[in-house]
Amino acid sequence: MTAAAPEPVTPAGPSGAGQPAASGPVLEVRDLQVQIQTRRGVVRAVDGVSLEVPRGGAVGLVGESGSGKSMTLRSILGVLPPEAKITSGQVLLDGTDLVPLPTSALNRIRGPKLAMIFQEPMSALNPVMRVGWQIAEGPQVHLGYNRSRSAERAVELMYRVGIPDPERRFKAYPHEFSGGMRQRVMIAIALSCEPEVILCDEPTTALDVTIQDQILRLLAQLCSESGVSLLFVTHDLPVVAQLCQELAVMYGGQIVERGPVADVFREPSHPYTLGLLRSAPDVEEVRSSLVPIPGSPPSLISPPSGCRFHPRCSFAEQDCSEIDPPLRLLSSGRATACLHYERCLESAQAEAAR
Amino acid sequence: MGRMTFVGRRLLLLVPVAIGVTIIVFFMVHLIPGDPARTILGIHATPKAIAILHQEWGLNRPLASQYWLFVDRLLHGNLGESLYYTQPAAGLIWGRLPTTLWLIAYSAVLAIVISIPLAMLAATRKNGIRDHVVRVVPLLGLGMPSFWVGLLLQYSLALTFHIFPVTGYGSGIAGHVRSMFLPSLTVAIALAPVVIRSLRASMLNVLGADYITTARSKGVPGRRLFVRHVLRNAIIPAVTVLGINIGFLIGGTLIVENVFALPGIGSLMIQSIFNRDFPVVQGVTLVFGVLVVLVNLLTDVAYASLDPRVRFDR
Amino acid sequence: MSATTLVTVAPEHAARRKAQWYRVPALLAGLTLLVIVLAMVIGAPLLTSHNPNVQDLNAILSGPSGQHLLGTDQLGRDTWSRLLYGGRVDLQVAFIAVLFPFVLGTILGSIAGYFGGWVDLIIMRVVDIVVAFPFYVLIIALVFVLGPGESSIYIAITAVGWVAYARIIRGEILVAKRQEYVLAAQSAGLSNLRIMGRHLLPNVVTQAIIYAMSDIVQDILAIVTLSYLGLGIQPPTPDWGTMIANGQNFLTTHWQLTTIPGLAVVVTGLALSLIGDGLADLLRPGQS
């Protein structure tokens, strides 16, 4: 078991002053199902996912590629590719279900309430539009700002996300910026209409480690300053440790474990999480050797019977191939989808003791 | 590198092409089987007339010096003298050039106006009924002789319904717009298939791009999304395709001018062919070559204006 | 890798292609249409008993009747037979005319692409210069200079049309010559000619063939246009372009004289374009 993750730079929670103590999570996903029609069959990309994002909090969504985490984010915002459809479930933003809303209604929410940051900032920014105007577009469309006022706001935002010399760089095009700068532009765009939740789709994956760290600190800082909530998708565990208070682990389109970050890292209650922690290098202490998880990700068209992880699980028993375990609540805000989670906990504790 | 240097560099690259154009046009004389002068002047030519032509074109001199003579005249704006009109060919051509330029511009505009909505229809409903219909239309259009289309348009809209004049150039701007509509539409119809295809392809490309997802996630509404994000990007490769096919556009004006009796350089060329007026034919060919080269340059500049990534290459 | 292994790659690939051609709808539709057109045109003597050139001044400009399926033109010639025999001439000339630029362009393009250097530079400059002229302007000017008639058409089309093939083939060769099988052949000591002819060409020629389909359509249009202007197929030989020209004076009264030959061109063009598109789908999967 790798040593404890570095000191998290997490926000303490909503800044408090003047804000009514709102009850309930700001974003709630209930039993979401997303299916994709392909020539070879129906892909169940998201298969009964439920999670919650508390007000002002940062939640991490972790998993391998193909686990359905990006699809989950996109379905929250409603920007799925045309072949994919939400077949059941609810997405509640402040209590309102977004799933049945028509595009025109969704467009009013995107920006002022909900925003998204993407993985590849070069391809995610319009190459022929000046960066400043891309940031200004949100306020123009949603807040009714005229050209000059929205431009001012854009410069403010650029300053806030740490882009040097904002007045001059307003006129620049995306290809003139470096990767880290472009990601800051994306963050500025996301912030432009002061949303309640920002969905982050692996925004640091394509960046160098040092830049990664800068961006994460920026996000944490913005979070604590303005109380905006984050749902942060990544396959990179140390990142989650650095930024989030809670995390959910996805495998094969389902959530297999959920809980506070520190607890899950210390005592994972699902073999997959255990495997992830074992196979993730810890920059600070390379003590134990890296152990990759054997096997390959499951087919989402015809997933394995019973628990989807059982073909690759070293703790698997007879009933694992027969029963598809639901996500069950444990004590202290944790949840797991493993039938034999106690064995996993024991193993994790044993390693930690070593 | 700014826009001016870009244009300057392109101009420089054109010089060898321009020279080549003059060489080809020059050689046209020498492709004529037998004695060029005799063939041009016809059976009834007197020996004296033939001798004069020989003298004027320097046909007795070695090839190289003939070419220098040709280029020298060219640089002085002398394209030879029309055998039919006994006027300098350059003046004739210059006088009729505006009509052709009008036709070219008008046709390009109409081609774009036709193509954008159709391409958009096809791209946004990919593989639907509308998409397939829009994809079949160019297949039909590619096979239509432009003069035939022109004749049919004349028949239906001019002769039968009297909406547009049958032939002629009209007077005043309004008159031009009205008279030139059918001929420009004819040329545009010939060009549209290619433009629709490439616009559709580039729109599909753009629609699948990440920055469109970003714009959608910003909540940018449909029409603004389409114009400022999709179209603005999709039009860049389409401009290139238009530029490549500008040769066809310009060539198409040749026959259309004939069908609609427009006083442009295309109809001048065809008339001169029947008048066996070689200097004029040669002159018009040269002007067409130069026109294409210039329009290609314009397209390059337009492309650079539209795509900021190109402007800033090292 | 020996030379023999290289050769075995190609036939396998070809067998896979042939197996699926009938599944591409465009190709099927186009071939069917083309076969119909060709059958009608080739089978002209069976489909009509009239001689297309015989004039009957007692029956000028008559409408469709039992005697004359599509009526007659201004000199009393039977339209239906002129349509069929004219099709023979136009299609024959077009199909032959597409071969010369294909061969010439492929050869020059291969040389330019394979050898590179100054050979490439010169050939490509010439291409640029030819391309600087509008297609029809050069064709018409050349036909003028050479005198009207069938052979002028062949020469003019060849002189102007080779450039497209040269560009396509050169592009393909530039990519293909970096492939491993070429390097293997070179290190096996095969001569350049053999490499170009037996290994490179079969793999790159597909693009040119696809283009050739649209080129035939262009050639048909060029031939018809030249004939319309009086510079192409000379009377009394029937041809679609001349028919349209003859009919244009009678547009208001007998529009079918002009419309029908044009439709014949459009239908043939459609067939060939469908085949071209179908071939493109077949040989470059995932490009549609």
Side-chain angles (χ1 to χ4, degrees), chain B residues 92-93 95-101 103 169 180 253-254 257-258 261-272 284 288:
Chain B
L92 266 176
I93 295 175
R96 298 176 81 141
L97 193 56
T99 312
T100 305
L101 292 176
L103 187 58
Y169 189 36
M180 301 271 273
T253 63
L254 194 72
E257 278 182 18
N258 201 40
L262 292 171
I265 57 176
S267 52
L268 177 64
M269 180 167 180
I270 295 183
Q271 278 174 36
S272 304
V284 175
F288 268 121

Side-chain angles (χ1 to χ4, degrees), chain A residues 80-149:
Chain A
L80 288 168
E83 318 81 59
K85 289 213 169 22
I86 300 178
T87 50
S88 81
Q90 295 176 306
V91 173
L92 300 170
L93 181 65
D94 271 338
T96 319
D97 190 5
L98 300 182
V99 172
L101 290 183
T103 315
S104 49
L106 273 179
N107 273 337
R108 285 194 286 271
I109 293 183
R110 294 171 186 159
K113 291 270 176 76
L114 207 51
M116 190 156 167
I117 311 177
F118 296 88
Q119 181 175 349
E120 281 287 350
M122 184 61 229
S123 54
L125 292 174
N126 189 336
V128 302
M129 206 176 179
R130 295 184 204 271
V131 150
W133 291 119
Q134 294 195 46
I135 303 176
E137 191 168 24
Q140 279 175 359
V141 168
H142 296 290
L143 306 176
Y145 286 15
N146 62 17
R147 269 179 81 88
S148 53
R149 187 139 180 246

Side-chain angles (χ1 to χ4, degrees), chain B residues 32-184:
Chain B
I32 302 179
D35 179 359
R38 179 155 301 167
T39 316
I40 301 287
L41 292 173
I43 321 172
H44 306 288
T46 62
K48 191 165 177 221
I50 297 180
I52 293 180
L53 214 50
H54 271 246
Q55 175 73 337
E56 201 186 293
W57 287 349
L59 289 173
N60 312 313
R61 302 200 222 156
L63 223 58
S65 70
Q66 281 189 46
Y67 180 64
W68 281 126
L69 183 63
F70 178 70
V71 173
D72 180 56
R73 286 213 181 118
L74 216 67
L75 292 171
H76 287 101
N78 182 356
L79 286 169
E81 186 156 307
S82 160
L83 295 172
Y84 188 76
Y85 294 100
T86 55
Q87 283 177 36
L92 266 176
I93 295 175
W94 189 250
R96 298 176 81 141
L97 193 56
T99 312
T100 305
L101 292 176
W102 249 102
L103 187 58
I104 294 174
Y106 206 163
S107 312
V109 167
L110 281 180
I112 295 178
V113 164
I114 297 176
S115 309
I116 291 184
L118 284 176
M120 170 182 149
L121 198 64
T124 49
R125 309 246 190 285
K126 185 180 175 189
N127 289 329
I129 299 279
R130 278 177 263 203
D131 184 20
H132 284 295
V133 167
V134 170
R135 288 173 76 186
V136 164
V137 165
L139 291 181
L140 285 173
L142 281 173
M144 292 189 193
S146 49
F147 60 89
W148 182 73
V149 172
L151 285 173
L152 286 183
L153 282 176
Q154 260 185 339
Y155 172 57
S156 51
L157 293 175
L159 289 168
T160 313
F161 291 114
H162 303 291
I163 306 178
F164 296 100
V166 182
T167 56
Y169 189 36
S171 48
I173 299 283
H176 289 336
V177 167
R178 206 165 152 250
S179 305
M180 301 271 273
F181 181 74
L182 284 185
S184 306

